[in-house]
Amino acid sequence: MAKHDPALDHVFTALGDPTRRAVLERLATGPATVSELNALVPMAMPSFMGHLRKLEEAGMIATQKDGRVRTCALVAGALGPARDWLSAQKALWEDRLDRFDAFVTQLAKDQTE
Amino acid sequence: MAKHDPALDHVFTALGDPTRRAVLERLATGPATVSELNALVPMAMPSFMGHLRKLEEAGMIATQKDGRVRTCALVAGALGPARDWLSAQKALWEDRLDRFDAFVTQLAKDQTE
DNA sequence: GTCATGTTTAGCCATATTCCTAAGTATTCG
DNA sequence: CGAATACTTAGGAATATGGCTAAACATGAC
């Protein structure tokens, strides 16, 4: 397990905002322009661009400008590390809680004997 | 899919910090006191307490004070929503990318014909 | 009771975040 | 060319975040 993974910092932080999650959810259905994405939330364009920039810096979306229109799309595999961390953690977590459960169960059994 | 889930905001934001992830990783092996956890990172206790408070507010850890010692432990199922969101998203994401792949493949095939 | 230990509170500082408006640039349309 | 469209840049304000030191508290050990 990595001591300190800055990529994970960026990805989780990016996911911690509802506007940015909404963008990702929308992009999961296919690419979209900045204006189309901005229409999802009631926010001025410059503010919204800040969110897109963070998603791009986190490596979660890629953008490309054609003429005056910028199109955004998801980056494959960007969620992998986050999901892996969570899965590993959840496994340990539940294993640990299971053992605690067993401990409590054993305790209860001992008392009834 | 929830329009705007504040619980998810808190959980992902909490995960976006290496100090807090280190705490969770440590707690996955069993409960620990505040001092024990603080020893994991070079940080003054009051600063560190701020991180613990965030984890507690996010519902990810529970704490309890016995005498002058506060013990911290994981909360079961706290990672569930985050993991679920990521899994759902990743599924859509990869499905979408697969279809894009198929589209590109088809395009290439068309050109060679 | 005194003293060490383990937090907790209070208060401060620097920087980052998240929003805004106004004005600028670049492209496309008529 | 002129006007509309789609961003982009510049700059600013409010609040949040992440760190600190110093001092207060509460409890356990002697």
Coordinates of all heavy atoms in Angstrom, one line a residue, chain A residues 56-100:
Chain A
E56 N -9.7 17.7 -14.8 CA -8.7 17.4 -15.8 C -7.4 17.2 -15.1 O -6.6 16.3 -15.4 CB -8.6 18.6 -16.8 CG -7.9 18.2 -18.1 CD -8.1 19.2 -19.2 OE1 -8.7 20.3 -18.9 OE2 -7.7 19.0 -20.3
E57 N -7.1 18.1 -14.1 CA -5.8 17.9 -13.3 C -5.7 16.6 -12.6 O -4.7 16.1 -12.4 CB -5.7 19.1 -12.4 CG -5.2 20.4 -13.0 CD -5.3 21.6 -12.1 OE1 -5.7 21.4 -10.9 OE2 -5.1 22.7 -12.6
A58 N -6.9 16.1 -12.2 CA -6.9 14.8 -11.5 C -6.8 13.7 -12.5 O -6.8 12.5 -12.1 CB -8.2 14.7 -10.7
G59 N -6.8 14.0 -13.8 CA -6.6 13.0 -14.8 C -7.9 12.2 -15.1 O -7.9 11.1 -15.6
M60 N -9.0 12.8 -14.7 CA -10.3 12.0 -14.8 C -11.0 12.4 -16.1 O -11.8 11.6 -16.6 CB -11.2 12.3 -13.6 CG -10.4 12.0 -12.3 SD -11.3 12.6 -10.9 CE -12.4 11.2 -10.6
I61 N -10.8 13.6 -16.6 CA -11.4 13.9 -17.9 C -10.3 14.4 -18.8 O -9.3 14.9 -18.4 CB -12.6 14.9 -17.8 CG1 -12.0 16.3 -17.4 CG2 -13.6 14.5 -16.8 CD1 -13.1 17.4 -17.5
A62 N -10.6 14.4 -20.1 CA -9.7 15.0 -21.1 C -10.6 15.9 -21.9 O -11.7 15.7 -22.2 CB -9.1 13.9 -22.0
T63 N -10.0 17.1 -22.4 CA -10.8 18.0 -23.1 C -10.0 18.4 -24.4 O -8.7 18.3 -24.4 CB -11.1 19.3 -22.3 OG1 -9.9 20.1 -22.3 CG2 -11.5 19.0 -20.9
Q64 N -10.7 18.9 -25.4 CA -10.1 19.2 -26.7 C -11.0 20.3 -27.3 O -12.2 20.2 -27.3 CB -10.2 17.9 -27.5 CG -9.5 18.0 -28.8 CD -9.8 16.9 -29.7 OE1 -10.2 15.8 -29.2 NE2 -9.8 17.1 -31.0
K65 N -10.3 21.3 -27.9 CA -11.0 22.4 -28.4 C -11.1 22.3 -30.0 O -10.1 22.2 -30.6 CB -10.4 23.7 -28.0 CG -11.3 24.9 -28.2 CD -11.0 26.1 -27.4 CE -12.0 27.2 -27.5 NZ -11.7 28.4 -26.7
D66 N -12.3 22.3 -30.5 CA -12.6 22.3 -31.9 C -13.3 23.6 -32.2 O -14.4 23.8 -31.9 CB -13.5 21.2 -32.3 CG -12.8 19.8 -32.4 OD1 -11.6 19.8 -32.6 OD2 -13.5 18.8 -32.3
G67 N -12.6 24.5 -32.9 CA -13.1 25.8 -33.2 C -13.3 26.5 -31.9 O -12.4 26.6 -31.1
R68 N -14.6 26.9 -31.6 CA -14.8 27.6 -30.4 C -15.4 26.7 -29.3 O -15.8 27.2 -28.2 CB -15.7 28.9 -30.6 CG -17.0 28.5 -31.1 CD -17.8 29.8 -31.5 NE -19.0 29.3 -32.3 CZ -19.9 30.1 -32.8 NH1 -19.8 31.4 -32.7 NH2 -20.9 29.7 -33.4
V69 N -15.6 25.5 -29.6 CA -16.2 24.5 -28.7 C -15.2 23.6 -28.1 O -14.4 23.0 -28.8 CB -17.3 23.7 -29.5 CG1 -17.9 22.7 -28.5 CG2 -18.4 24.6 -30.1
R70 N -15.3 23.5 -26.8 CA -14.4 22.5 -26.1 C -15.3 21.3 -25.7 O -16.3 21.4 -25.1 CB -13.8 23.1 -24.9 CG -12.9 22.2 -24.1 CD -12.1 22.9 -23.0 NE -11.2 23.9 -23.4 CZ -10.0 23.6 -23.9 NH1 -9.6 22.3 -23.9 NH2 -9.2 24.5 -24.3
T71 N -14.8 20.1 -26.1 CA -15.5 18.9 -25.8 C -14.8 18.1 -24.7 O -13.5 18.1 -24.7 CB -15.6 18.0 -27.1 OG1 -16.2 18.8 -28.1 CG2 -16.4 16.7 -26.8
C72 N -15.5 17.6 -23.8 CA -15.0 16.9 -22.6 C -15.4 15.4 -22.7 O -16.5 15.1 -23.1 CB -15.5 17.4 -21.3 SG -15.3 19.2 -21.2
A73 N -14.4 14.5 -22.3 CA -14.7 13.1 -22.2 C -14.0 12.5 -21.0 O -13.0 13.1 -20.5 CB -14.3 12.5 -23.5
L74 N -14.5 11.3 -20.6 CA -13.9 10.6 -19.5 C -12.5 10.1 -19.9 O -12.3 9.8 -21.1 CB -14.8 9.5 -19.1 CG -16.1 9.8 -18.5 CD1 -16.9 8.6 -18.3 CD2 -15.9 10.6 -17.3
V75 N -11.6 9.9 -19.0 CA -10.4 9.2 -19.2 C -10.5 7.7 -18.7 O -10.9 7.6 -17.5 CB -9.2 9.9 -18.5 CG1 -8.0 9.1 -18.5 CG2 -9.0 11.3 -19.2
A76 N -10.2 6.8 -19.5 CA -10.3 5.4 -19.1 C -9.4 5.1 -17.9 O -8.3 5.5 -17.9 CB -10.0 4.5 -20.3
G77 N -9.9 4.3 -17.0 CA -9.1 3.8 -15.9 C -8.8 4.8 -14.8 O -8.2 4.5 -13.8
A78 N -9.3 6.0 -14.9 CA -9.0 7.1 -13.9 C -9.6 6.7 -12.5 O -9.1 7.1 -11.5 CB -9.5 8.4 -14.4
L79 N -10.7 6.0 -12.5 CA -11.3 5.6 -11.2 C -10.7 4.4 -10.6 O -10.9 4.1 -9.4 CB -12.8 5.4 -11.4 CG -13.7 6.6 -11.8 CD1 -15.1 6.2 -11.8 CD2 -13.4 7.7 -10.7
G80 N -9.9 3.7 -11.4 CA -9.3 2.5 -10.9 C -8.6 2.6 -9.5 O -9.0 1.9 -8.6
P81 N -7.6 3.4 -9.4 CA -6.9 3.5 -8.1 C -7.8 3.8 -6.9 O -7.7 3.2 -5.9 CB -6.0 4.7 -8.3 CG -5.7 4.7 -9.8 CD -7.0 4.3 -10.4
A82 N -8.8 4.7 -7.1 CA -9.7 5.0 -6.0 C -10.5 3.8 -5.7 O -10.7 3.5 -4.5 CB -10.6 6.2 -6.4
R83 N -11.0 3.1 -6.7 CA -11.8 1.9 -6.4 C -11.0 0.8 -5.8 O -11.4 0.1 -4.8 CB -12.4 1.4 -7.7 CG -13.8 1.0 -7.6 CD -14.3 0.3 -8.9 NE -13.9 -1.1 -8.9 CZ -14.8 -2.1 -8.7 NH1 -16.1 -1.8 -8.5 NH2 -14.5 -3.3 -8.7
D84 N -9.8 0.7 -6.2 CA -8.9 -0.3 -5.6 C -8.6 0.0 -4.2 O -8.7 -0.9 -3.3 CB -7.5 -0.4 -6.4 CG -7.7 -0.9 -7.8 OD1 -8.8 -1.5 -8.1 OD2 -6.7 -0.8 -8.6
W85 N -8.3 1.2 -3.9 CA -8.1 1.6 -2.5 C -9.3 1.3 -1.6 O -9.2 0.6 -0.6 CB -7.7 3.1 -2.3 CG -7.3 3.4 -0.9 CD1 -6.0 3.4 -0.5 CD2 -8.1 3.8 0.2 NE1 -5.9 3.8 0.8 CE2 -7.2 4.0 1.3 CE3 -9.4 4.0 0.4 CZ2 -7.6 4.4 2.5 CZ3 -9.9 4.3 1.7 CH2 -9.0 4.6 2.7
L86 N -10.5 1.7 -2.1 CA -11.7 1.4 -1.3 C -12.0 -0.1 -1.2 O -12.4 -0.5 -0.1 CB -12.9 2.0 -2.1 CG -13.2 3.5 -1.7 CD1 -14.5 3.9 -2.4 CD2 -13.5 3.6 -0.2
S87 N -11.7 -0.8 -2.2 CA -12.0 -2.3 -2.1 C -11.1 -2.9 -1.1 O -11.5 -3.7 -0.3 CB -11.8 -2.9 -3.5 OG -12.8 -2.5 -4.4
A88 N -9.8 -2.6 -1.2 CA -8.8 -3.2 -0.3 C -9.2 -2.8 1.1 O -9.2 -3.7 2.0 CB -7.4 -2.7 -0.6
Q89 N -9.5 -1.6 1.3 CA -9.9 -1.1 2.6 C -11.1 -1.7 3.2 O -11.2 -2.2 4.3 CB -10.1 0.5 2.5 CG -9.9 1.2 3.9 CD -8.5 1.0 4.4 OE1 -7.6 0.6 3.7 NE2 -8.4 1.1 5.7
K90 N -12.1 -1.8 2.3 CA -13.4 -2.4 2.8 C -13.2 -3.9 3.1 O -13.8 -4.4 4.1 CB -14.4 -2.3 1.6 CG -15.9 -2.5 2.1 CD -16.8 -1.9 1.1 CE -18.3 -2.1 1.5 NZ -18.8 -3.4 1.0
A91 N -12.3 -4.6 2.4 CA -12.1 -6.0 2.7 C -11.5 -6.1 4.1 O -12.0 -6.9 4.9 CB -11.1 -6.5 1.6
L92 N -10.4 -5.3 4.4 CA -9.8 -5.4 5.7 C -10.8 -5.0 6.8 O -10.9 -5.7 7.8 CB -8.7 -4.3 5.7 CG -7.4 -4.6 4.9 CD1 -6.5 -3.4 5.0 CD2 -6.7 -5.8 5.6
W93 N -11.5 -4.0 6.5 CA -12.5 -3.4 7.4 C -13.4 -4.5 7.8 O -13.6 -4.7 9.0 CB -13.2 -2.4 6.6 CG -13.9 -1.3 7.3 CD1 -14.9 -1.4 8.2 CD2 -13.8 0.1 7.1 NE1 -15.3 -0.2 8.6 CE2 -14.7 0.8 8.0 CE3 -12.9 0.9 6.3 CZ2 -14.8 2.1 8.0 CZ3 -13.0 2.3 6.4 CH2 -13.9 2.9 7.2
E94 N -14.0 -5.1 6.8 CA -15.1 -6.1 7.1 C -14.5 -7.4 7.8 O -15.1 -8.0 8.6 CB -15.9 -6.4 5.9 CG -16.8 -5.3 5.6 CD -17.5 -5.4 4.3 OE1 -17.2 -6.4 3.5 OE2 -18.4 -4.6 4.0
D95 N -13.3 -7.7 7.4 CA -12.6 -8.8 8.0 C -12.5 -8.5 9.5 O -12.8 -9.3 10.3 CB -11.3 -9.0 7.3 CG -10.5 -10.2 7.9 OD1 -11.2 -11.3 8.1 OD2 -9.4 -10.0 8.3
R96 N -12.0 -7.4 9.7 CA -11.7 -6.9 11.1 C -13.1 -6.9 11.9 O -13.1 -7.4 13.0 CB -11.1 -5.5 11.0 CG -11.3 -4.7 12.2 CD -10.4 -5.1 13.4 NE -11.0 -4.7 14.6 CZ -10.7 -5.2 15.8 NH1 -9.7 -6.1 15.9 NH2 -11.3 -4.7 16.9
L97 N -14.1 -6.4 11.3 CA -15.4 -6.3 12.0 C -16.0 -7.7 12.2 O -16.6 -8.0 13.2 CB -16.4 -5.4 11.2 CG -16.0 -3.9 11.2 CD1 -16.7 -3.1 10.2 CD2 -16.1 -3.4 12.6
D98 N -15.7 -8.6 11.2 CA -16.2 -10.0 11.3 C -15.5 -10.6 12.6 O -16.2 -11.3 13.4 CB -15.9 -10.8 10.1 CG -16.8 -10.5 9.0 OD1 -17.8 -9.7 9.2 OD2 -16.6 -10.9 7.8
R99 N -14.2 -10.4 12.6 CA -13.5 -11.0 13.8 C -14.0 -10.4 15.1 O -14.1 -11.1 16.1 CB -12.0 -10.8 13.6 CG -11.4 -11.8 12.6 CD -9.9 -11.8 12.6 NE -9.4 -10.6 11.8 CZ -8.7 -9.6 12.4 NH1 -8.4 -9.7 13.6 NH2 -8.4 -8.6 11.6
F100 N -14.3 -9.2 15.1 CA -14.9 -8.5 16.3 C -16.2 -9.2 16.6 O -16.5 -9.5 17.8 CB -15.0 -7.0 16.0 CG -15.6 -6.3 17.2 CD1 -14.9 -6.2 18.4 CD2 -16.9 -5.8 17.1 CE1 -15.4 -5.5 19.5 CE2 -17.4 -5.1 18.2 CZ -16.7 -5.0 19.4

